[in-house]
Amino acid sequence: MTQLWNLAEVAGRDRAEEARQRELDHLLERLYPMCRSLTGEGVRETLRVLQEKLPIEIKEVPSGTSVLDWEVPPEWRVREAWIKDPSGNVIVDFCEHNLHLLGYSAPFSGTVSLTELDDHLYSDPARPSDIPYRTSYYAERWGFCLAHDLRERLTPGDYEVRVDTTLEPGALTYGEFVVPGQTDREVLVSSHVCHPSLANDNLSGIVVAAELAHRLHALGSEHLRHSYRFLWAPGTLGAITWLALNRERVGRITHGLVAANLGDPGGFHYKRSRQGEAAIDRAVVLAARDSEVDVEIEDFVPFGYDERQYCSPGFDLPVGSLTRTPWGRYPEYHTSADDLSLVSSQRLLDSVQLYLRTFAVLEADRQYRNLEPHGEPQLGRRGLYRTLGGEGAKERELAILWVLNQSDGTRSLMDIAERSGLSVAVLDEAARALVKARLLE
Ligand code: ZN
């Protein structure tokens, strides 16, 4: 077993893991209240907290910078935002829940009638007690989001409104961290960091990516063939900015996953890359099959998270999206009900485990060549036949025969795993034993 297989096996499964789980809970609680957005302090604070466990690089790209077909917008900062009813009671307050303020609200201060105010209110009659999450990144307006129940109780009169925000030149902030491996072929893990107090959409992906980075970093470069690049960037524009600034090195990305929605009670879901049959698309399926985890598979569609950018035709990177319930398909999605009660640290660790198993498959996937391809080599003489008693001995024998038979230099371990039905871990072990016995190179 290589180190990475072991790492994947223990994730979420032993004593030390209980401590990790508590740490994750603590991290979720700290990050949940921060007002993340496309730009601004919330993203910086989030990344600074992650820096406590990892030396993440925080990058600042100035407002006005051209990035592909886009431009980095002014930075948004919030001091306060509230509405007072005609009797002077604060009825909606950003301090109480950051979802109350329409994301990227322009500043406003004044007294308005209920009719006028109503044009600036957002609520969802289908979920009357939840605050919806809304933004207005590219059209300048102010607004508040509130429970529909509350909105219906508002009576005519004068409402005092304060939106103390600024939209001024600043920067777009993103975080990047690389665990170097023995080659510069990269595995990209990307998660969006632009959502405020939403636990599953956004925060679960941020935390799972940080946990993966932490574990691979601790494992050490000598145990990794690929380099692992982690990106915490605002959705859409963050990925576009990173692609624009890294055009010359984008080709190094050999496999990639967009991490989001990884803490809810739903089963796993994988959306294939645009390429559809890329190694990453097959690796996720094999990792799930080998660990008997159900993953619903869906073909690529050009909407969703930042796979849209990585899989745009000019880049066409092999990047899929491994989530639990996909965006928009759970009732709490983009509402205040997507809170910490929707995610559990055990489910986050199970997600970490499936990611690690996928990485282990990618690491193991090589093409070998049988050095004694004429007839079956004598395994007994080389200590490979029936010497591997104990549990799984039969499977290991089969793995040796499959690897010897298929390794003509054109088929990789993933090909053999798909054809034989044997696990990649067992085939990897067999291949290593055969290399040691000088039957394989
Ligand atoms: Zn979202």
Side-chain angles (χ1 to χ4, degrees), residues 133 192 195 198 201-202 305 327 333-334:
Y133 167 53
H192 60 294
H195 289 22
L198 295 169
D201 182 9
N202 191 186
Y305 293 117
W327 69 278
Y333 174 78
H334 278 195

